[in-house]
Each structure stands twice: as C-alpha cells, then as structure tokens.
Amino acid sequence: SQKIEQNSEALNIQEGKTATLTCNYTNYSPAYLQWYRQDPGRGPVFLLLIRENEKEKRKERLKVTFDTTLKQSLFHITASQPADSATYLCALPYTGGFKTIFGAGTRLFVKA
Amino acid sequence: GAVVSQHPSRVICKSGTSVKIECRSLDFQATTMFWYRQFPKKSLMLMATSNEGSKATYEQGVEKDKFLINHASLTLSTLTVTSAHPEDSSFYICSALHDTQSGSYEQYFGPGTRLTVT
C-alpha cells in the first residue's frame, strides 16, 4: 500500500539557518507532491505543489525538490525565522483519485 | 488564495446529542470536499469524501450512520456527528478541492473544529 514517511522527531534549528525536512514514499509513483504547514489547533495551509517532471520549485524562502528515482522530496526553508515554527506535512494524491494521503508531519522549532 | 471556513471552531456537547459542523468554500466552488479527523500529534485521517449532489464516500471503518455528510451546494458541506460519545472527541478538519485548471488539484483546508463530548 502507499506509504509516506516523514521524520517524526522534531527539528530544532537556529534562526537564520536553513531547515531541511524530508519526505519519503513507497509503493507509489505520484504525479505531484504537496507540502503543507500546520500550526497547533489549526487546519493545514497549502504551501507548494511540485510535479513529477519538476526537479525543484521555489516560493520566496521555500524550496522543494522532488526525486522520483529516490522517491523522496526535500523541503527547505532558508533564512529561517521563529515564525516558521510549525508542523510541516508532506502529501501525495491517491492513485487514480482526488483523495490525498498525508504524512504524519515533522515539527520544526526555530530558535531566536 | 482560496479560503475555506469552518463553523463552529469549538463545540462541547453532551453524550447522546448530535452536533453539526459546517464547511464552506468562500471564494470558489467545490464539487468535492473532504472530512478529516486528527488526533494529537498524528496525521490527518480521511473520514469521507463529500460530493456535491450525491452521497458521500466513506473510508473503511468510518460509520456512515454516525457521521452524516451532506453536500447540498457547491460551497457548503456539513458533517453531523450523531449520538456523540466521548470517544468522538477530536479535531475535525474539512477541505475543499480546488481545480487549478492545469492537471492538478489543490486542497484548501478549513481551520478545524474542536469537538469535546462530555
């Protein structure tokens, strides 16, 4: 079955550094992959979508890579700020439908 | 960006009563909406797919008679938790599917509803 893995351990980094989060998936060849941000007690917020034929995508301080050979996506936040502290979710579409499967998320803490 | 609202944000109800949660897409039409449930520090668990004008599609293990879903218009889906029990206490989140018109879809989530059953 389709499976998404994100590092369950929280990531702690210093303000100004680059945060890198990893998403791995198995038994699957998605047409695209998405990243969401979720703050405590709130619904997820869509950040970026990257397609299978795109190697990299950028949006302001965010950068996402998508390696379909490794079945892995990396999510980078450059010049991180305390306001970037949140849980970041990786998501993939189910095969043949509109449903989405979410990873458990990685909690990021940026220290001032 | 697309906005999805959810109401109420928090609700406390007594065991045995029913509670309705509304999900609205404010600036786009959504033929498909989803209802999720999330436990603390866990990922979102898809409960059902809400389809405008037709019956919802429930995921395995989700009781359709307990979690009633109605998607009567292109901007509104409702989830009714019937005969609520304390184990139904959770964070319920809806999302609406937005067609990007470029071969992919984006999900926009509501802010969530915290349900507490006493």
Side-chain angles (χ1 to χ4, degrees), chain A residues 41-71:
Chain A
R42 306 290 294 175
V45 174
F46 171 77
L47 295 176
L48 280 169
L49 180 151
I50 184 166
R51 303 178 197 284
E52 61 179 343
N53 61 349
E54 298 176 313
K55 294 293 184 185
E56 180 181 299
K57 198 154 190 178
R58 293 175 184 261
K59 179 182 177 182
E60 297 173 353
R61 294 184 296 110
L62 307 180
K63 185 179 84 171
V64 172
T65 62
F66 193 11
D67 189 325
T68 56
T69 301
L70 291 178
K71 294 188 182 295

PDB file of all heavy atoms in Angstrom, chain A residues 41-71:
ATOM      1  N   GLY A  41      -3.670  23.364  16.601  1.00  0.00           N
ATOM      2  CA  GLY A  41      -5.082  23.707  16.696  1.00  0.00           C
ATOM      3  C   GLY A  41      -5.648  24.358  15.448  1.00  0.00           C
ATOM      4  O   GLY A  41      -6.742  24.931  15.500  1.00  0.00           O
ATOM      5  N   ARG A  42      -4.934  24.248  14.347  1.00  0.00           N
ATOM      6  CA  ARG A  42      -5.392  24.865  13.096  1.00  0.00           C
ATOM      7  C   ARG A  42      -5.362  23.838  11.971  1.00  0.00           C
ATOM      8  O   ARG A  42      -4.686  22.812  12.049  1.00  0.00           O
ATOM      9  CB  ARG A  42      -4.487  26.039  12.708  1.00  0.00           C
ATOM     10  CG  ARG A  42      -4.323  27.090  13.785  1.00  0.00           C
ATOM     11  CD  ARG A  42      -5.599  27.870  13.990  1.00  0.00           C
ATOM     12  NE  ARG A  42      -5.935  28.676  12.811  1.00  0.00           N
ATOM     13  CZ  ARG A  42      -7.053  29.379  12.694  1.00  0.00           C
ATOM     14  NH1 ARG A  42      -7.957  29.362  13.653  1.00  0.00           N
ATOM     15  NH2 ARG A  42      -7.301  30.088  11.602  1.00  0.00           N
ATOM     16  N   GLY A  43      -6.092  24.140  10.891  1.00  0.00           N
ATOM     17  CA  GLY A  43      -6.045  23.274   9.734  1.00  0.00           C
ATOM     18  C   GLY A  43      -4.776  23.528   8.929  1.00  0.00           C
ATOM     19  O   GLY A  43      -4.151  24.575   9.052  1.00  0.00           O
ATOM     20  N   PRO A  44      -4.365  22.554   8.125  1.00  0.00           N
ATOM     21  CA  PRO A  44      -3.167  22.731   7.301  1.00  0.00           C
ATOM     22  C   PRO A  44      -3.338  23.855   6.281  1.00  0.00           C
ATOM     23  O   PRO A  44      -4.449  24.121   5.809  1.00  0.00           O
ATOM     24  CB  PRO A  44      -3.033  21.379   6.585  1.00  0.00           C
ATOM     25  CG  PRO A  44      -3.810  20.420   7.410  1.00  0.00           C
ATOM     26  CD  PRO A  44      -4.944  21.221   7.969  1.00  0.00           C
ATOM     27  N   VAL A  45      -2.230  24.478   5.937  1.00  0.00           N
ATOM     28  CA  VAL A  45      -2.216  25.534   4.930  1.00  0.00           C
ATOM     29  C   VAL A  45      -1.320  25.089   3.782  1.00  0.00           C
ATOM     30  O   VAL A  45      -0.166  24.711   4.006  1.00  0.00           O
ATOM     31  CB  VAL A  45      -1.700  26.863   5.519  1.00  0.00           C
ATOM     32  CG1 VAL A  45      -1.553  27.914   4.418  1.00  0.00           C
ATOM     33  CG2 VAL A  45      -2.640  27.356   6.614  1.00  0.00           C
ATOM     34  N   PHE A  46      -1.856  25.138   2.577  1.00  0.00           N
ATOM     35  CA  PHE A  46      -1.100  24.708   1.404  1.00  0.00           C
ATOM     36  C   PHE A  46       0.078  25.642   1.149  1.00  0.00           C
ATOM     37  O   PHE A  46      -0.066  26.871   1.206  1.00  0.00           O
ATOM     38  CB  PHE A  46      -2.039  24.711   0.187  1.00  0.00           C
ATOM     39  CG  PHE A  46      -1.342  24.498  -1.126  1.00  0.00           C
ATOM     40  CD1 PHE A  46      -0.921  23.237  -1.499  1.00  0.00           C
ATOM     41  CD2 PHE A  46      -1.088  25.558  -1.979  1.00  0.00           C
ATOM     42  CE1 PHE A  46      -0.281  23.030  -2.709  1.00  0.00           C
ATOM     43  CE2 PHE A  46      -0.448  25.370  -3.186  1.00  0.00           C
ATOM     44  CZ  PHE A  46      -0.036  24.100  -3.552  1.00  0.00           C
ATOM     45  N   LEU A  47       1.238  25.043   0.881  1.00  0.00           N
ATOM     46  CA  LEU A  47       2.439  25.836   0.614  1.00  0.00           C
ATOM     47  C   LEU A  47       2.893  25.713  -0.835  1.00  0.00           C
ATOM     48  O   LEU A  47       3.022  26.703  -1.547  1.00  0.00           O
ATOM     49  CB  LEU A  47       3.576  25.399   1.540  1.00  0.00           C
ATOM     50  CG  LEU A  47       3.374  25.643   3.035  1.00  0.00           C
ATOM     51  CD1 LEU A  47       4.544  25.058   3.824  1.00  0.00           C
ATOM     52  CD2 LEU A  47       3.207  27.123   3.331  1.00  0.00           C
ATOM     53  N   LEU A  48       3.188  24.495  -1.246  1.00  0.00           N
ATOM     54  CA  LEU A  48       3.775  24.290  -2.566  1.00  0.00           C
ATOM     55  C   LEU A  48       3.315  22.972  -3.159  1.00  0.00           C
ATOM     56  O   LEU A  48       3.095  22.001  -2.436  1.00  0.00           O
ATOM     57  CB  LEU A  48       5.307  24.246  -2.474  1.00  0.00           C
ATOM     58  CG  LEU A  48       6.072  25.556  -2.382  1.00  0.00           C
ATOM     59  CD1 LEU A  48       7.519  25.287  -2.031  1.00  0.00           C
ATOM     60  CD2 LEU A  48       6.001  26.297  -3.723  1.00  0.00           C
ATOM     61  N   LEU A  49       3.230  22.945  -4.471  1.00  0.00           N
ATOM     62  CA  LEU A  49       2.989  21.724  -5.220  1.00  0.00           C
ATOM     63  C   LEU A  49       4.105  21.580  -6.237  1.00  0.00           C
ATOM     64  O   LEU A  49       4.463  22.550  -6.912  1.00  0.00           O
ATOM     65  CB  LEU A  49       1.635  21.799  -5.933  1.00  0.00           C
ATOM     66  CG  LEU A  49       1.203  20.598  -6.792  1.00  0.00           C
ATOM     67  CD1 LEU A  49      -0.318  20.498  -6.819  1.00  0.00           C
ATOM     68  CD2 LEU A  49       1.726  20.690  -8.225  1.00  0.00           C
ATOM     69  N   ILE A  50       4.671  20.390  -6.334  1.00  0.00           N
ATOM     70  CA  ILE A  50       5.716  20.128  -7.321  1.00  0.00           C
ATOM     71  C   ILE A  50       5.311  18.900  -8.117  1.00  0.00           C
ATOM     72  O   ILE A  50       4.858  17.895  -7.560  1.00  0.00           O
ATOM     73  CB  ILE A  50       7.094  19.952  -6.646  1.00  0.00           C
ATOM     74  CG1 ILE A  50       8.190  19.778  -7.698  1.00  0.00           C
ATOM     75  CG2 ILE A  50       7.093  18.796  -5.651  1.00  0.00           C
ATOM     76  CD1 ILE A  50       9.600  19.931  -7.134  1.00  0.00           C
ATOM     77  N   ARG A  51       5.438  18.976  -9.427  1.00  0.00           N
ATOM     78  CA  ARG A  51       5.026  17.886 -10.294  1.00  0.00           C
ATOM     79  C   ARG A  51       6.174  16.919 -10.527  1.00  0.00           C
ATOM     80  O   ARG A  51       7.339  17.248 -10.340  1.00  0.00           O
ATOM     81  CB  ARG A  51       4.526  18.435 -11.624  1.00  0.00           C
ATOM     82  CG  ARG A  51       3.389  19.414 -11.484  1.00  0.00           C
ATOM     83  CD  ARG A  51       2.946  19.993 -12.840  1.00  0.00           C
ATOM     84  NE  ARG A  51       2.167  21.189 -12.663  1.00  0.00           N
ATOM     85  CZ  ARG A  51       0.911  21.205 -12.263  1.00  0.00           C
ATOM     86  NH1 ARG A  51       0.275  20.083 -12.020  1.00  0.00           N
ATOM     87  NH2 ARG A  51       0.266  22.347 -12.116  1.00  0.00           N
ATOM     88  N   GLU A  52       5.845  15.750 -11.039  1.00  0.00           N
ATOM     89  CA  GLU A  52       6.849  14.698 -11.215  1.00  0.00           C
ATOM     90  C   GLU A  52       7.915  15.080 -12.234  1.00  0.00           C
ATOM     91  O   GLU A  52       9.031  14.561 -12.188  1.00  0.00           O
ATOM     92  CB  GLU A  52       6.165  13.393 -11.637  1.00  0.00           C
ATOM     93  CG  GLU A  52       5.403  13.467 -12.938  1.00  0.00           C
ATOM     94  CD  GLU A  52       4.769  12.130 -13.312  1.00  0.00           C
ATOM     95  OE1 GLU A  52       5.177  11.096 -12.754  1.00  0.00           O
ATOM     96  OE2 GLU A  52       3.851  12.141 -14.153  1.00  0.00           O
ATOM     97  N   ASN A  53       7.592  15.976 -13.145  1.00  0.00           N
ATOM     98  CA  ASN A  53       8.582  16.371 -14.146  1.00  0.00           C
ATOM     99  C   ASN A  53       9.360  17.635 -13.730  1.00  0.00           C
ATOM    100  O   ASN A  53      10.145  18.172 -14.511  1.00  0.00           O
ATOM    101  CB  ASN A  53       7.912  16.608 -15.499  1.00  0.00           C
ATOM    102  CG  ASN A  53       6.873  17.715 -15.453  1.00  0.00           C
ATOM    103  OD1 ASN A  53       6.496  18.173 -14.369  1.00  0.00           O
ATOM    104  ND2 ASN A  53       6.412  18.155 -16.607  1.00  0.00           N
ATOM    105  N   GLU A  54       9.143  18.074 -12.506  1.00  0.00           N
ATOM    106  CA  GLU A  54       9.873  19.221 -11.980  1.00  0.00           C
ATOM    107  C   GLU A  54      10.881  18.740 -10.948  1.00  0.00           C
ATOM    108  O   GLU A  54      10.539  17.990 -10.045  1.00  0.00           O
ATOM    109  CB  GLU A  54       8.914  20.231 -11.335  1.00  0.00           C
ATOM    110  CG  GLU A  54       7.907  20.831 -12.309  1.00  0.00           C
ATOM    111  CD  GLU A  54       6.906  21.744 -11.603  1.00  0.00           C
ATOM    112  OE1 GLU A  54       6.360  21.338 -10.556  1.00  0.00           O
ATOM    113  OE2 GLU A  54       6.674  22.858 -12.117  1.00  0.00           O
ATOM    114  N   LYS A  55      12.092  19.191 -11.085  1.00  0.00           N
ATOM    115  CA  LYS A  55      13.123  18.786 -10.128  1.00  0.00           C
ATOM    116  C   LYS A  55      13.104  19.660  -8.882  1.00  0.00           C
ATOM    117  O   LYS A  55      13.412  19.209  -7.776  1.00  0.00           O
ATOM    118  CB  LYS A  55      14.507  18.886 -10.785  1.00  0.00           C
ATOM    119  CG  LYS A  55      14.709  17.915 -11.918  1.00  0.00           C
ATOM    120  CD  LYS A  55      14.740  16.489 -11.424  1.00  0.00           C
ATOM    121  CE  LYS A  55      15.039  15.531 -12.574  1.00  0.00           C
ATOM    122  NZ  LYS A  55      14.959  14.124 -12.138  1.00  0.00           N
ATOM    123  N   GLU A  56      12.757  20.915  -9.088  1.00  0.00           N
ATOM    124  CA  GLU A  56      12.850  21.884  -7.992  1.00  0.00           C
ATOM    125  C   GLU A  56      11.796  22.967  -8.186  1.00  0.00           C
ATOM    126  O   GLU A  56      11.460  23.334  -9.311  1.00  0.00           O
ATOM    127  CB  GLU A  56      14.252  22.502  -8.006  1.00  0.00           C
ATOM    128  CG  GLU A  56      14.529  23.527  -6.950  1.00  0.00           C
ATOM    129  CD  GLU A  56      15.938  24.069  -7.077  1.00  0.00           C
ATOM    130  OE1 GLU A  56      16.890  23.291  -6.963  1.00  0.00           O
ATOM    131  OE2 GLU A  56      16.064  25.293  -7.301  1.00  0.00           O
ATOM    132  N   LYS A  57      11.314  23.467  -7.058  1.00  0.00           N
ATOM    133  CA  LYS A  57      10.366  24.568  -7.128  1.00  0.00           C
ATOM    134  C   LYS A  57      10.638  25.500  -5.965  1.00  0.00           C
ATOM    135  O   LYS A  57      10.943  25.052  -4.853  1.00  0.00           O
ATOM    136  CB  LYS A  57       8.936  24.065  -7.054  1.00  0.00           C
ATOM    137  CG  LYS A  57       7.907  25.067  -7.535  1.00  0.00           C
ATOM    138  CD  LYS A  57       6.688  24.340  -8.016  1.00  0.00           C
ATOM    139  CE  LYS A  57       5.751  25.288  -8.726  1.00  0.00           C
ATOM    140  NZ  LYS A  57       4.567  24.593  -9.246  1.00  0.00           N
ATOM    141  N   ARG A  58      10.514  26.798  -6.230  1.00  0.00           N
ATOM    142  CA  ARG A  58      10.808  27.791  -5.193  1.00  0.00           C
ATOM    143  C   ARG A  58       9.636  28.747  -5.016  1.00  0.00           C
ATOM    144  O   ARG A  58       8.897  29.050  -5.950  1.00  0.00           O
ATOM    145  CB  ARG A  58      12.039  28.607  -5.562  1.00  0.00           C
ATOM    146  CG  ARG A  58      13.336  27.828  -5.572  1.00  0.00           C
ATOM    147  CD  ARG A  58      14.485  28.691  -6.070  1.00  0.00           C
ATOM    148  NE  ARG A  58      15.723  27.916  -6.176  1.00  0.00           N
ATOM    149  CZ  ARG A  58      16.692  27.928  -5.256  1.00  0.00           C
ATOM    150  NH1 ARG A  58      16.558  28.664  -4.174  1.00  0.00           N
ATOM    151  NH2 ARG A  58      17.778  27.202  -5.423  1.00  0.00           N
ATOM    152  N   LYS A  59       9.497  29.192  -3.773  1.00  0.00           N
ATOM    153  CA  LYS A  59       8.498  30.208  -3.451  1.00  0.00           C
ATOM    154  C   LYS A  59       9.041  30.994  -2.280  1.00  0.00           C
ATOM    155  O   LYS A  59       9.088  30.499  -1.156  1.00  0.00           O
ATOM    156  CB  LYS A  59       7.152  29.574  -3.095  1.00  0.00           C
ATOM    157  CG  LYS A  59       6.075  30.570  -2.736  1.00  0.00           C
ATOM    158  CD  LYS A  59       4.795  29.826  -2.347  1.00  0.00           C
ATOM    159  CE  LYS A  59       3.712  30.806  -1.912  1.00  0.00           C
ATOM    160  NZ  LYS A  59       2.480  30.098  -1.480  1.00  0.00           N
ATOM    161  N   GLU A  60       9.491  32.199  -2.574  1.00  0.00           N
ATOM    162  CA  GLU A  60      10.089  33.065  -1.540  1.00  0.00           C
ATOM    163  C   GLU A  60      11.226  32.305  -0.839  1.00  0.00           C
ATOM    164  O   GLU A  60      12.186  31.913  -1.493  1.00  0.00           O
ATOM    165  CB  GLU A  60       9.004  33.529  -0.576  1.00  0.00           C
ATOM    166  CG  GLU A  60       7.934  34.385  -1.278  1.00  0.00           C
ATOM    167  CD  GLU A  60       6.756  34.723  -0.385  1.00  0.00           C
ATOM    168  OE1 GLU A  60       6.672  34.206   0.738  1.00  0.00           O
ATOM    169  OE2 GLU A  60       5.926  35.524  -0.830  1.00  0.00           O
ATOM    170  N   ARG A  61      11.144  32.072   0.452  1.00  0.00           N
ATOM    171  CA  ARG A  61      12.230  31.385   1.159  1.00  0.00           C
ATOM    172  C   ARG A  61      12.088  29.867   1.147  1.00  0.00           C
ATOM    173  O   ARG A  61      12.891  29.158   1.767  1.00  0.00           O
ATOM    174  CB  ARG A  61      12.293  31.887   2.604  1.00  0.00           C
ATOM    175  CG  ARG A  61      12.680  33.348   2.750  1.00  0.00           C
ATOM    176  CD  ARG A  61      12.820  33.775   4.221  1.00  0.00           C
ATOM    177  NE  ARG A  61      11.544  33.697   4.942  1.00  0.00           N
ATOM    178  CZ  ARG A  61      11.288  32.801   5.878  1.00  0.00           C
ATOM    179  NH1 ARG A  61      12.174  31.888   6.223  1.00  0.00           N
ATOM    180  NH2 ARG A  61      10.110  32.810   6.489  1.00  0.00           N
ATOM    181  N   LEU A  62      11.109  29.374   0.445  1.00  0.00           N
ATOM    182  CA  LEU A  62      10.860  27.940   0.408  1.00  0.00           C
ATOM    183  C   LEU A  62      11.410  27.326  -0.876  1.00  0.00           C
ATOM    184  O   LEU A  62      11.336  27.930  -1.940  1.00  0.00           O
ATOM    185  CB  LEU A  62       9.349  27.652   0.489  1.00  0.00           C
ATOM    186  CG  LEU A  62       8.579  28.283   1.635  1.00  0.00           C
ATOM    187  CD1 LEU A  62       7.111  27.896   1.562  1.00  0.00           C
ATOM    188  CD2 LEU A  62       9.182  27.901   2.968  1.00  0.00           C
ATOM    189  N   LYS A  63      11.959  26.119  -0.726  1.00  0.00           N
ATOM    190  CA  LYS A  63      12.412  25.381  -1.896  1.00  0.00           C
ATOM    191  C   LYS A  63      12.065  23.913  -1.708  1.00  0.00           C
ATOM    192  O   LYS A  63      12.288  23.354  -0.633  1.00  0.00           O
ATOM    193  CB  LYS A  63      13.922  25.515  -2.093  1.00  0.00           C
ATOM    194  CG  LYS A  63      14.415  24.843  -3.387  1.00  0.00           C
ATOM    195  CD  LYS A  63      15.915  24.998  -3.575  1.00  0.00           C
ATOM    196  CE  LYS A  63      16.696  23.954  -2.821  1.00  0.00           C
ATOM    197  NZ  LYS A  63      18.141  23.974  -3.175  1.00  0.00           N
ATOM    198  N   VAL A  64      11.492  23.323  -2.726  1.00  0.00           N
ATOM    199  CA  VAL A  64      11.127  21.914  -2.685  1.00  0.00           C
ATOM    200  C   VAL A  64      11.813  21.199  -3.831  1.00  0.00           C
ATOM    201  O   VAL A  64      11.848  21.701  -4.948  1.00  0.00           O
ATOM    202  CB  VAL A  64       9.595  21.738  -2.800  1.00  0.00           C
ATOM    203  CG1 VAL A  64       9.242  20.264  -2.946  1.00  0.00           C
ATOM    204  CG2 VAL A  64       8.897  22.323  -1.596  1.00  0.00           C
ATOM    205  N   THR A  65      12.338  20.022  -3.550  1.00  0.00           N
ATOM    206  CA  THR A  65      12.884  19.165  -4.601  1.00  0.00           C
ATOM    207  C   THR A  65      12.082  17.878  -4.639  1.00  0.00           C
ATOM    208  O   THR A  65      11.470  17.480  -3.636  1.00  0.00           O
ATOM    209  CB  THR A  65      14.361  18.852  -4.370  1.00  0.00           C
ATOM    210  OG1 THR A  65      14.503  18.131  -3.139  1.00  0.00           O
ATOM    211  CG2 THR A  65      15.186  20.124  -4.320  1.00  0.00           C
ATOM    212  N   PHE A  66      12.102  17.231  -5.786  1.00  0.00           N
ATOM    213  CA  PHE A  66      11.315  16.025  -5.988  1.00  0.00           C
ATOM    214  C   PHE A  66      12.151  15.047  -6.802  1.00  0.00           C
ATOM    215  O   PHE A  66      12.411  15.292  -7.982  1.00  0.00           O
ATOM    216  CB  PHE A  66      10.039  16.395  -6.739  1.00  0.00           C
ATOM    217  CG  PHE A  66       8.960  15.343  -6.763  1.00  0.00           C
ATOM    218  CD1 PHE A  66       9.020  14.205  -5.970  1.00  0.00           C
ATOM    219  CD2 PHE A  66       7.852  15.500  -7.591  1.00  0.00           C
ATOM    220  CE1 PHE A  66       8.027  13.256  -5.993  1.00  0.00           C
ATOM    221  CE2 PHE A  66       6.833  14.553  -7.613  1.00  0.00           C
ATOM    222  CZ  PHE A  66       6.928  13.436  -6.822  1.00  0.00           C
ATOM    223  N   ASP A  67      12.605  13.989  -6.162  1.00  0.00           N
ATOM    224  CA  ASP A  67      13.425  12.979  -6.831  1.00  0.00           C
ATOM    225  C   ASP A  67      12.600  11.713  -6.968  1.00  0.00           C
ATOM    226  O   ASP A  67      12.433  10.960  -5.998  1.00  0.00           O
ATOM    227  CB  ASP A  67      14.703  12.721  -6.008  1.00  0.00           C
ATOM    228  CG  ASP A  67      15.702  11.855  -6.752  1.00  0.00           C
ATOM    229  OD1 ASP A  67      15.273  10.942  -7.500  1.00  0.00           O
ATOM    230  OD2 ASP A  67      16.912  12.072  -6.576  1.00  0.00           O
ATOM    231  N   THR A  68      12.077  11.482  -8.156  1.00  0.00           N
ATOM    232  CA  THR A  68      11.193  10.336  -8.362  1.00  0.00           C
ATOM    233  C   THR A  68      11.958   9.016  -8.391  1.00  0.00           C
ATOM    234  O   THR A  68      11.352   7.961  -8.218  1.00  0.00           O
ATOM    235  CB  THR A  68      10.407  10.494  -9.673  1.00  0.00           C
ATOM    236  OG1 THR A  68      11.328  10.684 -10.753  1.00  0.00           O
ATOM    237  CG2 THR A  68       9.470  11.687  -9.603  1.00  0.00           C
ATOM    238  N   THR A  69      13.271   9.093  -8.590  1.00  0.00           N
ATOM    239  CA  THR A  69      14.074   7.864  -8.539  1.00  0.00           C
ATOM    240  C   THR A  69      14.274   7.415  -7.099  1.00  0.00           C
ATOM    241  O   THR A  69      14.102   6.245  -6.763  1.00  0.00           O
ATOM    242  CB  THR A  69      15.436   8.088  -9.204  1.00  0.00           C
ATOM    243  OG1 THR A  69      15.236   8.481 -10.567  1.00  0.00           O
ATOM    244  CG2 THR A  69      16.269   6.804  -9.169  1.00  0.00           C
ATOM    245  N   LEU A  70      14.614   8.368  -6.253  1.00  0.00           N
ATOM    246  CA  LEU A  70      14.788   8.074  -4.831  1.00  0.00           C
ATOM    247  C   LEU A  70      13.451   7.996  -4.099  1.00  0.00           C
ATOM    248  O   LEU A  70      13.401   7.550  -2.951  1.00  0.00           O
ATOM    249  CB  LEU A  70      15.654   9.163  -4.175  1.00  0.00           C
ATOM    250  CG  LEU A  70      17.124   9.216  -4.556  1.00  0.00           C
ATOM    251  CD1 LEU A  70      17.800  10.383  -3.845  1.00  0.00           C
ATOM    252  CD2 LEU A  70      17.819   7.905  -4.211  1.00  0.00           C
ATOM    253  N   LYS A  71      12.407   8.440  -4.745  1.00  0.00           N
ATOM    254  CA  LYS A  71      11.076   8.534  -4.118  1.00  0.00           C
ATOM    255  C   LYS A  71      11.172   9.399  -2.860  1.00  0.00           C
ATOM    256  O   LYS A  71      10.784   8.988  -1.749  1.00  0.00           O
ATOM    257  CB  LYS A  71      10.522   7.148  -3.796  1.00  0.00           C
ATOM    258  CG  LYS A  71      10.218   6.321  -5.048  1.00  0.00           C
ATOM    259  CD  LYS A  71       9.501   5.029  -4.699  1.00  0.00           C
ATOM    260  CE  LYS A  71       9.235   4.187  -5.944  1.00  0.00           C
ATOM    261  NZ  LYS A  71       8.299   4.857  -6.880  1.00  0.00           N
TER     262      LYS A  71
END
